[in-house]
Amino acid sequence: MAWNMSFEYDAQNDVVTAYFTDCLLMNEADVLRWRKEVEDHLSKYPSKVDLLINLDGLVVKFTAGRVFGKERRDVLERYTHRSYRFGGDEMTRMFVLTSGAINGAAVNHYATRDEALAALQAEREALRKRGFSPFSGGFVSSKV
């Protein structure tokens, strides 16, 4: 198979899931290609999204790790409210964890999509209980 990525909107859960096939990031050029294609997909949504990322099919090699960390953070800050990951090979998971620590990006990695979705929903619920509306830009007043 050739390099491919797709993004599917799950209306029931109001979340976008990213899927990758044979996206091998070996150098800066690969990472910049990845970023452009991810931005092309995510820019089609009218506002920031909650994103689940299937790391299966996305392979980040050591030679691309540092650049990937910065580009990943920038893309997620621009296009997402929050993101959760699942799957992936050991090297890619390591780069996600490391780049999250270095660049201040959330890691949120789980074994399966269902676990990642459950964690996302738990975060949403915790924010709602505190009166925060993640889509209005701030806290919602209970006073009328």
Side-chain angles (χ1 to χ4, degrees):
M1 293 205 100
W3 171 299
N4 186 45
M5 59 181 73
S6 63
F7 292 73
E8 298 175 6
Y9 179 65
D10 173 354
Q12 179 179 356
N13 293 297
D14 190 26
V15 66
V16 174
T17 304
Y19 297 96
F20 302 95
T21 304
D22 295 332
C23 292
L24 176 61
L25 309 182
M26 295 185 64
N27 55 45
E28 183 176 4
D30 294 335
V31 173
L32 295 177
R33 175 185 177 190
W34 170 87
R35 178 181 178 148
K36 181 187 180 321
E37 290 185 30
V38 169
E39 287 181 324
D40 287 348
H41 285 283
L42 292 178
S43 67
K44 294 175 185 171
Y45 296 97
S47 61
K48 288 184 174 186
V49 299
D50 283 345
L51 183 65
L52 299 178
I53 304 167
N54 183 351
L55 294 176
D56 292 335
L58 176 66
V59 177
V60 180
K61 295 295 187 182
F62 179 78
T63 51
R66 186 166 294 215
V67 175
F68 173 73
K70 180 193 174 304
E71 299 300 325
R72 168 186 167 262
R73 182 199 66 216
D74 292 349
V75 167
L76 294 177
E77 284 178 357
R78 183 170 183 190
Y79 294 100
T80 69
H81 290 288
R82 62 193 58 78
S83 61
Y84 286 75
R85 288 141 210 74
F86 61 97
D89 69 32
E90 187 174 337
M91 177 74 76
T92 300
R93 287 192 317 267
M94 180 193 70
F95 279 119
V96 168
L97 292 168
T98 303
S99 72
I102 292 170
N103 296 297
V107 175
N108 303 327
H109 185 271
Y110 297 86
T112 68
R113 183 184 186 278
D114 288 343
E115 290 175 7
L117 178 60
L120 172 85
Q121 291 170 328
E123 181 181 345
R124 286 176 176 169
E125 185 58 28
L127 288 170
R128 282 189 193 100
K129 285 181 178 177
R130 292 195 326 246
F132 184 74
S133 174
F135 305 108
S136 69
F139 283 88
V140 177
S141 172
S142 59
K143 298 179 184 177
V144 178

PDB file of all heavy atoms in Angstrom, residues 93-125:
ATOM      1  N   ARG A  93       5.218   5.361  19.481  1.00  0.00           N
ATOM      2  CA  ARG A  93       4.682   5.696  20.805  1.00  0.00           C
ATOM      3  C   ARG A  93       5.736   6.407  21.643  1.00  0.00           C
ATOM      4  O   ARG A  93       5.432   7.364  22.353  1.00  0.00           O
ATOM      5  CB  ARG A  93       4.180   4.442  21.507  1.00  0.00           C
ATOM      6  CG  ARG A  93       2.880   3.903  20.942  1.00  0.00           C
ATOM      7  CD  ARG A  93       2.238   2.832  21.815  1.00  0.00           C
ATOM      8  NE  ARG A  93       3.159   1.849  22.339  1.00  0.00           N
ATOM      9  CZ  ARG A  93       3.447   0.674  21.765  1.00  0.00           C
ATOM     10  NH1 ARG A  93       2.889   0.366  20.619  1.00  0.00           N
ATOM     11  NH2 ARG A  93       4.284  -0.169  22.330  1.00  0.00           N
ATOM     12  N   MET A  94       6.980   5.963  21.546  1.00  0.00           N
ATOM     13  CA  MET A  94       8.059   6.598  22.298  1.00  0.00           C
ATOM     14  C   MET A  94       8.229   8.052  21.856  1.00  0.00           C
ATOM     15  O   MET A  94       8.368   8.948  22.686  1.00  0.00           O
ATOM     16  CB  MET A  94       9.378   5.853  22.111  1.00  0.00           C
ATOM     17  CG  MET A  94      10.519   6.488  22.892  1.00  0.00           C
ATOM     18  SD  MET A  94      12.141   5.883  22.442  1.00  0.00           S
ATOM     19  CE  MET A  94      12.337   6.576  20.813  1.00  0.00           C
ATOM     20  N   PHE A  95       8.195   8.325  20.542  1.00  0.00           N
ATOM     21  CA  PHE A  95       8.336   9.699  20.072  1.00  0.00           C
ATOM     22  C   PHE A  95       7.161  10.566  20.484  1.00  0.00           C
ATOM     23  O   PHE A  95       7.330  11.736  20.809  1.00  0.00           O
ATOM     24  CB  PHE A  95       8.542   9.753  18.554  1.00  0.00           C
ATOM     25  CG  PHE A  95       9.954   9.490  18.158  1.00  0.00           C
ATOM     26  CD1 PHE A  95      10.261   8.413  17.364  1.00  0.00           C
ATOM     27  CD2 PHE A  95      10.987  10.292  18.604  1.00  0.00           C
ATOM     28  CE1 PHE A  95      11.565   8.141  17.010  1.00  0.00           C
ATOM     29  CE2 PHE A  95      12.298  10.037  18.256  1.00  0.00           C
ATOM     30  CZ  PHE A  95      12.593   8.958  17.461  1.00  0.00           C
ATOM     31  N   VAL A  96       5.967  10.007  20.479  1.00  0.00           N
ATOM     32  CA  VAL A  96       4.806  10.766  20.924  1.00  0.00           C
ATOM     33  C   VAL A  96       4.947  11.124  22.404  1.00  0.00           C
ATOM     34  O   VAL A  96       4.732  12.268  22.809  1.00  0.00           O
ATOM     35  CB  VAL A  96       3.497   9.990  20.647  1.00  0.00           C
ATOM     36  CG1 VAL A  96       2.324  10.622  21.362  1.00  0.00           C
ATOM     37  CG2 VAL A  96       3.237   9.923  19.151  1.00  0.00           C
ATOM     38  N   LEU A  97       5.331  10.155  23.225  1.00  0.00           N
ATOM     39  CA  LEU A  97       5.518  10.411  24.655  1.00  0.00           C
ATOM     40  C   LEU A  97       6.639  11.422  24.894  1.00  0.00           C
ATOM     41  O   LEU A  97       6.484  12.368  25.669  1.00  0.00           O
ATOM     42  CB  LEU A  97       5.836   9.106  25.387  1.00  0.00           C
ATOM     43  CG  LEU A  97       4.712   8.085  25.453  1.00  0.00           C
ATOM     44  CD1 LEU A  97       5.250   6.732  25.928  1.00  0.00           C
ATOM     45  CD2 LEU A  97       3.608   8.562  26.360  1.00  0.00           C
ATOM     46  N   THR A  98       7.755  11.249  24.219  1.00  0.00           N
ATOM     47  CA  THR A  98       8.895  12.136  24.402  1.00  0.00           C
ATOM     48  C   THR A  98       8.598  13.538  23.901  1.00  0.00           C
ATOM     49  O   THR A  98       8.872  14.529  24.581  1.00  0.00           O
ATOM     50  CB  THR A  98      10.140  11.569  23.677  1.00  0.00           C
ATOM     51  OG1 THR A  98      10.388  10.259  24.173  1.00  0.00           O
ATOM     52  CG2 THR A  98      11.349  12.445  23.895  1.00  0.00           C
ATOM     53  N   SER A  99       8.030  13.643  22.705  1.00  0.00           N
ATOM     54  CA  SER A  99       7.750  14.972  22.162  1.00  0.00           C
ATOM     55  C   SER A  99       6.684  15.680  22.979  1.00  0.00           C
ATOM     56  O   SER A  99       6.713  16.901  23.120  1.00  0.00           O
ATOM     57  CB  SER A  99       7.345  14.897  20.687  1.00  0.00           C
ATOM     58  OG  SER A  99       6.061  14.349  20.528  1.00  0.00           O
ATOM     59  N   GLY A 100       5.760  14.914  23.548  1.00  0.00           N
ATOM     60  CA  GLY A 100       4.770  15.536  24.424  1.00  0.00           C
ATOM     61  C   GLY A 100       5.431  16.176  25.623  1.00  0.00           C
ATOM     62  O   GLY A 100       5.113  17.303  26.006  1.00  0.00           O
ATOM     63  N   ALA A 101       6.384  15.482  26.214  1.00  0.00           N
ATOM     64  CA  ALA A 101       7.096  16.017  27.373  1.00  0.00           C
ATOM     65  C   ALA A 101       7.946  17.224  26.988  1.00  0.00           C
ATOM     66  O   ALA A 101       7.950  18.244  27.682  1.00  0.00           O
ATOM     67  CB  ALA A 101       7.962  14.935  28.000  1.00  0.00           C
ATOM     68  N   ILE A 102       8.662  17.140  25.893  1.00  0.00           N
ATOM     69  CA  ILE A 102       9.557  18.220  25.464  1.00  0.00           C
ATOM     70  C   ILE A 102       8.785  19.446  25.000  1.00  0.00           C
ATOM     71  O   ILE A 102       9.135  20.575  25.331  1.00  0.00           O
ATOM     72  CB  ILE A 102      10.495  17.727  24.343  1.00  0.00           C
ATOM     73  CG1 ILE A 102      11.480  16.703  24.897  1.00  0.00           C
ATOM     74  CG2 ILE A 102      11.235  18.895  23.689  1.00  0.00           C
ATOM     75  CD1 ILE A 102      12.291  15.990  23.832  1.00  0.00           C
ATOM     76  N   ASN A 103       7.724  19.230  24.226  1.00  0.00           N
ATOM     77  CA  ASN A 103       7.006  20.336  23.595  1.00  0.00           C
ATOM     78  C   ASN A 103       5.730  20.739  24.316  1.00  0.00           C
ATOM     79  O   ASN A 103       4.999  21.600  23.851  1.00  0.00           O
ATOM     80  CB  ASN A 103       6.682  19.979  22.141  1.00  0.00           C
ATOM     81  CG  ASN A 103       7.930  19.811  21.313  1.00  0.00           C
ATOM     82  OD1 ASN A 103       8.688  20.754  21.137  1.00  0.00           O
ATOM     83  ND2 ASN A 103       8.168  18.604  20.819  1.00  0.00           N
ATOM     84  N   GLY A 104       5.448  20.105  25.420  1.00  0.00           N
ATOM     85  CA  GLY A 104       4.269  20.480  26.187  1.00  0.00           C
ATOM     86  C   GLY A 104       2.952  20.077  25.545  1.00  0.00           C
ATOM     87  O   GLY A 104       1.922  20.682  25.805  1.00  0.00           O
ATOM     88  N   ALA A 105       2.977  19.065  24.709  1.00  0.00           N
ATOM     89  CA  ALA A 105       1.750  18.584  24.067  1.00  0.00           C
ATOM     90  C   ALA A 105       1.208  17.398  24.860  1.00  0.00           C
ATOM     91  O   ALA A 105       1.961  16.611  25.413  1.00  0.00           O
ATOM     92  CB  ALA A 105       2.034  18.161  22.627  1.00  0.00           C
ATOM     93  N   ALA A 106      -0.103  17.285  24.898  1.00  0.00           N
ATOM     94  CA  ALA A 106      -0.731  16.175  25.615  1.00  0.00           C
ATOM     95  C   ALA A 106      -0.341  14.847  24.978  1.00  0.00           C
ATOM     96  O   ALA A 106      -0.174  14.747  23.766  1.00  0.00           O
ATOM     97  CB  ALA A 106      -2.240  16.336  25.592  1.00  0.00           C
ATOM     98  N   VAL A 107      -0.197  13.825  25.792  1.00  0.00           N
ATOM     99  CA  VAL A 107       0.168  12.501  25.289  1.00  0.00           C
ATOM    100  C   VAL A 107      -1.091  11.650  25.125  1.00  0.00           C
ATOM    101  O   VAL A 107      -1.408  11.205  24.040  1.00  0.00           O
ATOM    102  CB  VAL A 107       1.194  11.823  26.210  1.00  0.00           C
ATOM    103  CG1 VAL A 107       1.469  10.407  25.746  1.00  0.00           C
ATOM    104  CG2 VAL A 107       2.478  12.644  26.223  1.00  0.00           C
ATOM    105  N   ASN A 108      -1.807  11.397  26.202  1.00  0.00           N
ATOM    106  CA  ASN A 108      -3.102  10.697  26.130  1.00  0.00           C
ATOM    107  C   ASN A 108      -3.092   9.488  25.204  1.00  0.00           C
ATOM    108  O   ASN A 108      -3.811   9.451  24.220  1.00  0.00           O
ATOM    109  CB  ASN A 108      -4.204  11.656  25.689  1.00  0.00           C
ATOM    110  CG  ASN A 108      -4.328  12.849  26.585  1.00  0.00           C
ATOM    111  OD1 ASN A 108      -4.089  12.766  27.787  1.00  0.00           O
ATOM    112  ND2 ASN A 108      -4.699  13.994  26.022  1.00  0.00           N
ATOM    113  N   HIS A 109      -2.298   8.475  25.523  1.00  0.00           N
ATOM    114  CA  HIS A 109      -2.221   7.295  24.681  1.00  0.00           C
ATOM    115  C   HIS A 109      -2.923   6.104  25.331  1.00  0.00           C
ATOM    116  O   HIS A 109      -2.743   5.852  26.516  1.00  0.00           O
ATOM    117  CB  HIS A 109      -0.763   6.918  24.378  1.00  0.00           C
ATOM    118  CG  HIS A 109      -0.681   5.785  23.413  1.00  0.00           C
ATOM    119  ND1 HIS A 109      -0.669   4.469  23.819  1.00  0.00           N
ATOM    120  CD2 HIS A 109      -0.663   5.768  22.066  1.00  0.00           C
ATOM    121  CE1 HIS A 109      -0.639   3.701  22.748  1.00  0.00           C
ATOM    122  NE2 HIS A 109      -0.635   4.448  21.673  1.00  0.00           N
ATOM    123  N   TYR A 110      -3.700   5.372  24.526  1.00  0.00           N
ATOM    124  CA  TYR A 110      -4.459   4.220  25.000  1.00  0.00           C
ATOM    125  C   TYR A 110      -4.285   3.058  24.034  1.00  0.00           C
ATOM    126  O   TYR A 110      -3.892   3.253  22.885  1.00  0.00           O
ATOM    127  CB  TYR A 110      -5.938   4.593  25.156  1.00  0.00           C
ATOM    128  CG  TYR A 110      -6.103   5.662  26.195  1.00  0.00           C
ATOM    129  CD1 TYR A 110      -5.984   7.012  25.863  1.00  0.00           C
ATOM    130  CD2 TYR A 110      -6.291   5.324  27.531  1.00  0.00           C
ATOM    131  CE1 TYR A 110      -6.075   7.991  26.836  1.00  0.00           C
ATOM    132  CE2 TYR A 110      -6.381   6.311  28.506  1.00  0.00           C
ATOM    133  CZ  TYR A 110      -6.273   7.634  28.151  1.00  0.00           C
ATOM    134  OH  TYR A 110      -6.340   8.602  29.114  1.00  0.00           O
ATOM    135  N   ALA A 111      -4.608   1.882  24.478  1.00  0.00           N
ATOM    136  CA  ALA A 111      -4.430   0.681  23.653  1.00  0.00           C
ATOM    137  C   ALA A 111      -5.426   0.621  22.500  1.00  0.00           C
ATOM    138  O   ALA A 111      -5.084   0.199  21.400  1.00  0.00           O
ATOM    139  CB  ALA A 111      -4.551  -0.580  24.517  1.00  0.00           C
ATOM    140  N   THR A 112      -6.671   1.056  22.736  1.00  0.00           N
ATOM    141  CA  THR A 112      -7.718   0.936  21.717  1.00  0.00           C
ATOM    142  C   THR A 112      -8.464   2.246  21.518  1.00  0.00           C
ATOM    143  O   THR A 112      -8.410   3.141  22.362  1.00  0.00           O
ATOM    144  CB  THR A 112      -8.760  -0.131  22.114  1.00  0.00           C
ATOM    145  OG1 THR A 112      -9.482   0.352  23.265  1.00  0.00           O
ATOM    146  CG2 THR A 112      -8.109  -1.481  22.420  1.00  0.00           C
ATOM    147  N   ARG A 113      -9.193   2.323  20.404  1.00  0.00           N
ATOM    148  CA  ARG A 113     -10.016   3.508  20.137  1.00  0.00           C
ATOM    149  C   ARG A 113     -11.080   3.669  21.214  1.00  0.00           C
ATOM    150  O   ARG A 113     -11.356   4.774  21.664  1.00  0.00           O
ATOM    151  CB  ARG A 113     -10.678   3.415  18.760  1.00  0.00           C
ATOM    152  CG  ARG A 113     -11.492   4.662  18.421  1.00  0.00           C
ATOM    153  CD  ARG A 113     -12.237   4.531  17.087  1.00  0.00           C
ATOM    154  NE  ARG A 113     -12.893   5.767  16.718  1.00  0.00           N
ATOM    155  CZ  ARG A 113     -14.082   6.168  17.189  1.00  0.00           C
ATOM    156  NH1 ARG A 113     -14.744   5.419  18.060  1.00  0.00           N
ATOM    157  NH2 ARG A 113     -14.619   7.311  16.793  1.00  0.00           N
ATOM    158  N   ASP A 114     -11.692   2.568  21.626  1.00  0.00           N
ATOM    159  CA  ASP A 114     -12.733   2.642  22.651  1.00  0.00           C
ATOM    160  C   ASP A 114     -12.194   3.233  23.959  1.00  0.00           C
ATOM    161  O   ASP A 114     -12.866   4.047  24.598  1.00  0.00           O
ATOM    162  CB  ASP A 114     -13.341   1.260  22.915  1.00  0.00           C
ATOM    163  CG  ASP A 114     -14.232   0.789  21.772  1.00  0.00           C
ATOM    164  OD1 ASP A 114     -14.656   1.618  20.935  1.00  0.00           O
ATOM    165  OD2 ASP A 114     -14.497  -0.428  21.702  1.00  0.00           O
ATOM    166  N   GLU A 115     -10.978   2.829  24.341  1.00  0.00           N
ATOM    167  CA  GLU A 115     -10.377   3.379  25.560  1.00  0.00           C
ATOM    168  C   GLU A 115     -10.060   4.871  25.393  1.00  0.00           C
ATOM    169  O   GLU A 115     -10.280   5.662  26.310  1.00  0.00           O
ATOM    170  CB  GLU A 115      -9.104   2.616  25.920  1.00  0.00           C
ATOM    171  CG  GLU A 115      -9.354   1.210  26.408  1.00  0.00           C
ATOM    172  CD  GLU A 115      -8.063   0.436  26.639  1.00  0.00           C
ATOM    173  OE1 GLU A 115      -6.959   1.036  26.549  1.00  0.00           O
ATOM    174  OE2 GLU A 115      -8.152  -0.771  26.900  1.00  0.00           O
ATOM    175  N   ALA A 116      -9.547   5.243  24.223  1.00  0.00           N
ATOM    176  CA  ALA A 116      -9.239   6.653  23.961  1.00  0.00           C
ATOM    177  C   ALA A 116     -10.517   7.492  23.965  1.00  0.00           C
ATOM    178  O   ALA A 116     -10.560   8.578  24.544  1.00  0.00           O
ATOM    179  CB  ALA A 116      -8.501   6.792  22.633  1.00  0.00           C
ATOM    180  N   LEU A 117     -11.573   6.984  23.335  1.00  0.00           N
ATOM    181  CA  LEU A 117     -12.849   7.691  23.308  1.00  0.00           C
ATOM    182  C   LEU A 117     -13.419   7.833  24.714  1.00  0.00           C
ATOM    183  O   LEU A 117     -13.923   8.897  25.088  1.00  0.00           O
ATOM    184  CB  LEU A 117     -13.838   6.969  22.388  1.00  0.00           C
ATOM    185  CG  LEU A 117     -15.230   7.581  22.293  1.00  0.00           C
ATOM    186  CD1 LEU A 117     -15.178   9.010  21.767  1.00  0.00           C
ATOM    187  CD2 LEU A 117     -16.116   6.709  21.400  1.00  0.00           C
ATOM    188  N   ALA A 118     -13.343   6.793  25.516  1.00  0.00           N
ATOM    189  CA  ALA A 118     -13.846   6.853  26.892  1.00  0.00           C
ATOM    190  C   ALA A 118     -13.088   7.915  27.693  1.00  0.00           C
ATOM    191  O   ALA A 118     -13.689   8.666  28.471  1.00  0.00           O
ATOM    192  CB  ALA A 118     -13.730   5.486  27.568  1.00  0.00           C
ATOM    193  N   ALA A 119     -11.782   7.999  27.517  1.00  0.00           N
ATOM    194  CA  ALA A 119     -10.988   9.008  28.222  1.00  0.00           C
ATOM    195  C   ALA A 119     -11.364  10.417  27.762  1.00  0.00           C
ATOM    196  O   ALA A 119     -11.477  11.343  28.577  1.00  0.00           O
ATOM    197  CB  ALA A 119      -9.502   8.753  28.010  1.00  0.00           C
ATOM    198  N   LEU A 120     -11.580  10.594  26.477  1.00  0.00           N
ATOM    199  CA  LEU A 120     -12.020  11.876  25.935  1.00  0.00           C
ATOM    200  C   LEU A 120     -13.364  12.280  26.522  1.00  0.00           C
ATOM    201  O   LEU A 120     -13.559  13.416  26.972  1.00  0.00           O
ATOM    202  CB  LEU A 120     -12.099  11.800  24.410  1.00  0.00           C
ATOM    203  CG  LEU A 120     -12.725  13.009  23.733  1.00  0.00           C
ATOM    204  CD1 LEU A 120     -11.686  14.090  23.521  1.00  0.00           C
ATOM    205  CD2 LEU A 120     -13.344  12.610  22.407  1.00  0.00           C
ATOM    206  N   GLN A 121     -14.292  11.342  26.541  1.00  0.00           N
ATOM    207  CA  GLN A 121     -15.619  11.631  27.079  1.00  0.00           C
ATOM    208  C   GLN A 121     -15.561  11.944  28.578  1.00  0.00           C
ATOM    209  O   GLN A 121     -16.289  12.803  29.056  1.00  0.00           O
ATOM    210  CB  GLN A 121     -16.567  10.470  26.787  1.00  0.00           C
ATOM    211  CG  GLN A 121     -16.885  10.357  25.310  1.00  0.00           C
ATOM    212  CD  GLN A 121     -17.626   9.092  24.937  1.00  0.00           C
ATOM    213  OE1 GLN A 121     -17.446   8.042  25.552  1.00  0.00           O
ATOM    214  NE2 GLN A 121     -18.447   9.183  23.906  1.00  0.00           N
ATOM    215  N   ALA A 122     -14.689  11.267  29.298  1.00  0.00           N
ATOM    216  CA  ALA A 122     -14.517  11.544  30.724  1.00  0.00           C
ATOM    217  C   ALA A 122     -13.979  12.955  30.938  1.00  0.00           C
ATOM    218  O   ALA A 122     -14.412  13.669  31.853  1.00  0.00           O
ATOM    219  CB  ALA A 122     -13.588  10.511  31.365  1.00  0.00           C
ATOM    220  N   GLU A 123     -13.036  13.374  30.093  1.00  0.00           N
ATOM    221  CA  GLU A 123     -12.514  14.740  30.200  1.00  0.00           C
ATOM    222  C   GLU A 123     -13.605  15.758  29.909  1.00  0.00           C
ATOM    223  O   GLU A 123     -13.744  16.760  30.616  1.00  0.00           O
ATOM    224  CB  GLU A 123     -11.334  14.952  29.250  1.00  0.00           C
ATOM    225  CG  GLU A 123     -10.761  16.355  29.362  1.00  0.00           C
ATOM    226  CD  GLU A 123      -9.611  16.644  28.423  1.00  0.00           C
ATOM    227  OE1 GLU A 123      -9.032  15.696  27.845  1.00  0.00           O
ATOM    228  OE2 GLU A 123      -9.286  17.836  28.274  1.00  0.00           O
ATOM    229  N   ARG A 124     -14.392  15.525  28.871  1.00  0.00           N
ATOM    230  CA  ARG A 124     -15.497  16.429  28.550  1.00  0.00           C
ATOM    231  C   ARG A 124     -16.457  16.546  29.729  1.00  0.00           C
ATOM    232  O   ARG A 124     -16.893  17.641  30.091  1.00  0.00           O
ATOM    233  CB  ARG A 124     -16.271  15.919  27.335  1.00  0.00           C
ATOM    234  CG  ARG A 124     -15.587  16.090  26.019  1.00  0.00           C
ATOM    235  CD  ARG A 124     -16.440  15.442  24.947  1.00  0.00           C
ATOM    236  NE  ARG A 124     -15.920  15.615  23.610  1.00  0.00           N
ATOM    237  CZ  ARG A 124     -16.397  14.955  22.559  1.00  0.00           C
ATOM    238  NH1 ARG A 124     -17.396  14.096  22.695  1.00  0.00           N
ATOM    239  NH2 ARG A 124     -15.877  15.162  21.361  1.00  0.00           N
ATOM    240  N   GLU A 125     -16.805  15.409  30.321  1.00  0.00           N
ATOM    241  CA  GLU A 125     -17.753  15.402  31.446  1.00  0.00           C
ATOM    242  C   GLU A 125     -17.175  16.146  32.639  1.00  0.00           C
ATOM    243  O   GLU A 125     -17.890  16.907  33.307  1.00  0.00           O
ATOM    244  CB  GLU A 125     -18.120  13.967  31.823  1.00  0.00           C
ATOM    245  CG  GLU A 125     -19.180  13.862  32.893  1.00  0.00           C
ATOM    246  CD  GLU A 125     -20.490  14.559  32.543  1.00  0.00           C
ATOM    247  OE1 GLU A 125     -20.837  14.681  31.346  1.00  0.00           O
ATOM    248  OE2 GLU A 125     -21.183  14.998  33.491  1.00  0.00           O
TER     249      GLU A 125
END
